[in-house]
Structures are given as C-alpha cells and as structure tokens.
Amino acid sequence: MSAITAWLRRQCFSWRELFILTLVGIVANVYFLANYSPSIDDELAAVRASSEIWIAQGRFTTYLLETLLFPQASIPFSPYLFLALMLALTHMLLVRAHGVTPGWRSYAAYCLFVTYPTWWLIEEFSANVPATGIGFLLAAAALCLQAEAPADALRRCFRHFSRHEAGRLLAIGLLLALCAGAYQTLLLLFACGTIGVALCRSIQGDAAFPWRQTCLRIIHGGVCLVAGALLYFALNKLALGLSGTRPEYVAGFINLDNLKAPYWLVGSIALEAWEIYSGSAGQFGAAMPAAAVALACTAIAVARARAGVALPNLLLFALLLGTPFLLCLLTGPASLPLRAMVALPYVIWLSALLAFTYQRGAAWIAGLVVFALFQLQIVNLTSQYIATATLVQHQDRFMGFDIGRRLLLLRGGDEAGKPIWLDVYGHGAEERVSLFAAAQTGVTRGSFFGWDKGNLQRIAAYLRVLGFDTVRPAPPAARSALTTQFEQMPVWPHEGSLRRSGDYYLLKLGKTPDAAHVVPAE
C-alpha cells in the first residue's frame, strides 16, 4: 500500500485536472445525459431479468458491473456520467504513461479523444457504456505499469526471477484480463499504447534511436498481452462454468478462410484503414476531410521532432496506425463493426498531442488550425447522428404508441391487467430514411419494427419499454397456426392490420412473411 501511495504522490494528480476532464466528457455526452435514446438491443436489455447474456459473450466484467452497479442497463444519465469520470481518470493515467505534462495541449487532444465518432457507436448501446469506461481505465492502468518497467524486465523476470517484475507481469495480465472481460478489443488499446509510449520516449530522448530498448519494450508488451489473454480465457471459462451458459456471438465474427488470400486480405484491410483515417463518408455517413490532413501534420511533426531518428520514429507511427486493425486479420475486412475499434480514439488523441507538442513555427500553427477543423467536423458529424437518432426514434415511438393504443382498445377495459399475447407477421423497413448522416455499421437508423427482419421478442420488448407492460410475445408453437389469418389482413397502418383472434393479437407489418410464418413448400 505504501508503494501505491508513493506512486500516486509522484504522479502529481490534481482535483482540478480531474474536474476539467470530467467536465469535457460531460459536454461531449450531453445528448445521452439529457435524453433517453434507446436504440436496437436497448429494449431487450431493459426487460431482461438476468445479465448472464454478457457471460455468454465472454464479457464477465460487464456482467459484474451490470449486476452490482447498473441492474437496469437501458437508462440515460448515470451510465454516461460514469463514463465521463472513467475517461477522465483514463486520460490522467495516459498522459503520465507517455511522459507528458498535463496542460492545454493534452486537454485539447482529450477533446478529440472523447468526441471521436466511434464513441457514438459505442454509446448507442447504453448497456455497453459503463463497462467500456472501466475497460479503458483498466487498459490505461496496465499501460502505466508496463511503461514503468525497465527495458530488461523480461530477463529479470524469467532468467533471474525478480519477484517485483514477476508481480508486475501478473498485475498487468490480470488488469488486461478484466479489461478484455469488459470489451475484448480493448486489448488492442493496450497494444497501441505500448507502441505509443515507445514512440514518445524516442522523441523525448537525446541519443540515437534506442533500437534494443524499443524492441524489448514492445516484446514485453506482447508478453503482457499473452499473459492477459491466457488469464482472460481462464476467467471466462470459469464464468461460463459457474453460470452454466454457453459461449455465443463472438465466434461469429471469426472467418479464418480469409487467411487463404493473404495479399487480398492485407490490401483490403489497408484500404479500410485509409477510409477510416481519411474520414470517409462511406464509413462515417458524412465526410471529415480534415482527418487525413491532421494525420499528415502529425507525421511531419514526428519526422521533425528529432531529424536524426526520423525514419524509425515514422515506422513506429505507421505501426501505431495499423495496430487497431489487427483483429481484421481474423474477422476479415469490413466484418468488424466500427464501434469495436476502440483503439481509434487513442490513436487520434496521441496524433493530436504529438502535433501540438513537437511541431514548430508556421507548421505548428497550421497543425493547430487543421486539428481545430477536424474537431469541428467531428462535432458536426455527431450533430447529424443526433438529428438522425432523434427523428428515427420519434417515428418508432409514434408507431409504438399507436399500436399500443389499438391493442388496449381491442382488449377492452374488462380485461385490464390480462396479458396481451402479440404475434407479428412480416416486418417494416430495417432502417428508417433520414436526410442526416449515420455510420455504416451503426444502428442509428434502425427500427425496432424491422430489425432482424421481424423479431417478435424485440417488438414486444419495445412496446413494454413504451409503457404497455402487459404485452408478451406469442408462444412459438402458436404462431404458425395464425398464418392463414395473417394472409387475409391488410398491412399496417391500414384498418384491420391489427386485430384480435381469441387470446392472441395479430399485427401485420409487411406482405412478406417472417421466418415464423413461412409456409413450407409441398
């Protein structure tokens, strides 16, 4: 404990710094703090009785956090306030791990960090928010421990068995295991951080490029990642065994067949990385042309910071840019959702910090202008996301309230409190039309009445969220028998598209049958 206290004193943490960073995070998340903005899957999170679904997805840290702190996961305000605090603490650790003194430069870079568009894609799922925040903090804590390790830490640990270094490795591994239990791709945040710290130390040095120390530090980071992954798999296996659940979801992203065409795979990933780093409208829904220019300013800053070691530093910077996409080697290009690339805000943050710190003269002023334009484009893009989400959710709410009102009229006042067994035939559009932007892999335009091409569980859950708590999905065994009646009904919102048949309430949303009502060919 005394060692931890001494370390905290050395870092010179301040309440002022925490307050400023938290305030910036609150401003960045003011929409989610002030509005209940349910998106796809939030409705299922709101009505589920158990959080064990997270264990099935390999996210046991999320399960613990939701069970202990956020038992109702689909809510505004508190998850996002928690996120703002966690990210503030994360940044306080990051700047010190990189040997940077907190100041206006780090605060300006932090604004880019907390507003980068991938945060919107994460925050659309409010159940993800607290765990992602704690995962970032755990990854930053692991990076701090790794950054303070001596260059020969592995030799001390394995050849001479230094208890101190062995304990450090175990602590980093445990932090990374818990971090992966919050969001598996956060391991790449640590990998990027290891490279980023090596780059900063090279720039901050005054001798020739430290090839040996840099390689040893990156290898040490790789060993820490392996240790963290092994501990994660062990803890995940334990959680699955204790809960009696079976793994799902994550394995669906893995596609090893892509490795059979390595040149195509690497080229496709490089193209995807270019689209993201250049702020392509194809990825984000609207273009951010200043993004590529901002990274070019950073590359110039890295090259000019120490002219004698420009080439190896640029190699480290290129490695940093490529690391967030390493998982794409297993999933394939464009298969990993943009929200899962959680290391991207860190890369943008470090790029801005390097440009603000190591540029000189007119290039420094130009860099400030370019990053300011980039920040403005990010804010404008997020504003379009807010407009899209607001209008799409209003459409679904109006439709949901109309359906709920008609259901109550069909049930009648004499049966108040009796379950409404709802069956739905077909589906509406999976995504609503909007004039404003939405990211390619987001759910901002998603409609509860069309997603998954007709998901009765989702529709019933959404109606319950709107206040029609007696709505329940019809039993699967009863649904196929109602197909003949559905075929004779008009499509919503026409009169007769919602009617009662005994104890069941029939809603026809589309002409094409969903999977539960497909008549098998004879």
Side-chain angles (χ1 to χ4, degrees):
M1 186 62 69
S2 59
I4 296 176
T5 304
W7 181 83
L8 289 172
R9 288 176 179 171
R10 288 199 310 272
Q11 304 308 315
C12 299
F13 293 112
S14 72
W15 289 107
R16 178 178 176 273
E17 181 186 2
L18 179 62
F19 174 77
I20 293 172
L21 294 171
T22 304
L23 184 61
V24 171
I26 288 173
V27 172
N29 290 285
V30 67
Y31 171 76
F32 291 107
L33 284 162
N35 296 279
Y36 180 49
S37 180
S39 61
I40 303 301
D41 286 344
D42 278 336
E43 79 292 350
L44 297 176
V47 303
R48 66 179 174 229
S50 171
S51 301
E52 289 185 353
I53 185 174
W54 294 119
I55 295 179
Q57 294 183 14
R59 297 171 65 179
F60 49 83
T61 305
T62 307
Y63 166 78
L64 291 173
L65 197 62
E66 188 169 299
T67 301
L68 297 175
L69 294 180
F70 297 93
Q72 176 49 274
S74 181
I75 53 176
F77 192 73
S78 64
Y80 301 94
L81 188 62
F82 182 81
L83 176 68
L85 179 60
M86 292 299 102
L87 292 184
L89 294 171
T90 296
H91 187 265
M92 293 171 74
L93 293 177
L94 284 178
V95 293
R96 287 158 177 82
H98 291 75
V100 176
T101 302
W104 72 265
R105 291 177 176 84
S106 62
Y107 294 146
Y110 182 68
C111 292
L112 287 159
F113 177 81
V114 294
T115 58
Y116 193 70
T118 51
W119 279 114
W120 173 274
L121 303 177
I122 293 170
E123 292 169 16
E124 284 185 307
F125 304 94
S126 60
N128 277 340
V129 169
T132 305
I134 200 73
F136 263 80
L137 181 59
L138 292 170
L143 185 62
C144 273
L145 284 176
Q146 198 269 339
E148 292 193 348
D152 61 345
L154 289 178
R155 182 173 60 83
R156 295 187 188 186
C157 180
F158 294 110
R159 184 174 297 181
H160 303 296
F161 191 68
S162 165
R163 290 186 178 181
H164 181 73
E165 293 306 324
R168 186 199 303 272
L169 179 60
L170 181 61
I172 294 173
L174 183 58
L175 287 170
L176 291 178
L178 294 173
C179 166
Y183 211 143
Q184 291 91 339
T185 55
L186 280 168
L187 291 177
L188 290 181
L189 173 62
F190 176 82
C192 286
T194 300
I195 298 167
V197 169
L199 175 59
C200 286
R201 291 194 175 180
S202 171
I203 293 175
Q204 293 159 2
D206 56 4
F209 184 79
W211 287 102
R212 182 174 180 275
Q213 290 87 340
T214 300
C215 291
L216 287 175
R217 288 188 181 280
I218 292 176
I219 292 171
H220 181 254
V223 172
C224 291
L225 275 174
V226 171
L230 292 175
L231 283 172
Y232 164 74
F233 285 119
L235 291 174
N236 187 49
K237 190 74 173 177
L238 178 63
L240 289 170
L242 291 175
S243 64
T245 57
R246 299 183 62 183
E248 58 179 37
Y249 184 70
V250 175
F253 287 104
I254 306 300
N255 184 6
L256 298 181
D257 289 340
N258 289 314
L259 296 174
K260 297 176 181 178
Y263 298 112
W264 168 84
L265 179 61
V266 173
S268 299
I269 294 172
L271 180 61
E272 181 182 8
W274 165 250
E275 290 180 348
I276 290 173
Y277 284 132
S278 64
S280 166
Q283 291 288 340
F284 297 103
M288 296 183 292
V293 184
L295 290 180
C297 290
T298 302
I300 294 171
V302 169
R304 296 180 63 189
R306 291 183 62 206
V309 292
L311 183 57
N313 284 345
L314 285 173
L315 289 175
L316 279 178
F317 183 59
L319 185 60
L320 172 68
L321 294 177
T323 301
F325 300 90
L326 286 179
L327 274 181
C328 294
L329 294 171
L330 299 178
T331 64
S335 297
L336 195 66
L338 195 56
R339 67 177 179 273
M341 297 184 183
V342 293
L344 289 174
Y346 165 82
V347 173
I348 299 303
W349 168 79
L350 184 58
S351 298
L353 193 60
L354 292 173
F356 296 161
T357 306
Y358 298 110
Q359 279 283 26
R360 297 184 297 275
W364 179 75
I365 297 174
L368 287 180
V369 172
V370 169
F371 272 98
L373 288 174
F374 185 25
Q375 179 69 83
L376 181 60
Q377 289 172 1
I378 289 174
V379 172
N380 287 337
L381 178 63
T382 305
S383 300
Q384 290 201 56
Y385 290 169
I386 290 173
T388 298
T390 301
L391 295 173
V392 166
Q393 289 168 22
H394 280 348
Q395 291 181 66
D396 267 11
R397 285 174 188 169
F398 293 150
M399 181 174 173
F401 281 127
D402 196 11
I403 291 171
R405 180 185 62 83
R406 295 198 201 182
L407 286 172
L408 294 181
L409 289 174
L410 287 173
R411 186 180 64 181
D414 296 338
E415 299 180 276
K418 186 177 179 181
I420 296 175
W421 297 101
L422 178 67
D423 189 15
V424 177
Y425 180 99
H427 60 88
E430 282 200 279
E431 292 189 335
R432 300 281 190 183
V433 176
S434 174
L435 292 174
F436 304 100
Q440 181 184 23
T441 57
V443 295
T444 310
R445 289 197 181 110
S447 170
F448 295 102
F449 298 100
W451 204 258
D452 298 334
K453 301 190 184 305
N455 186 324
L456 178 60
Q457 302 292 330
R458 191 181 299 285
I459 294 170
Y462 181 62
L463 291 173
R464 290 182 63 189
V465 168
L466 293 181
F468 305 100
D469 195 48
T470 55
V471 175
R472 295 292 184 274
R479 298 187 67 192
S480 59
L482 300 171
T483 301
T484 303
Q485 297 183 56
F486 273 119
E487 290 174 344
Q488 300 171 3
M489 294 168 56
V491 174
W492 177 271
H494 295 93
E495 192 68 31
S497 58
L498 176 60
R499 73 186 194 191
R500 182 172 179 176
S501 176
D503 290 333
Y504 297 107
Y505 297 77
L506 281 57
L507 171 63
K508 187 171 182 178
L509 292 179
K511 293 181 179 180
T512 304
D514 54 279
H517 296 101
V518 172
V519 178
E522 296 182 359

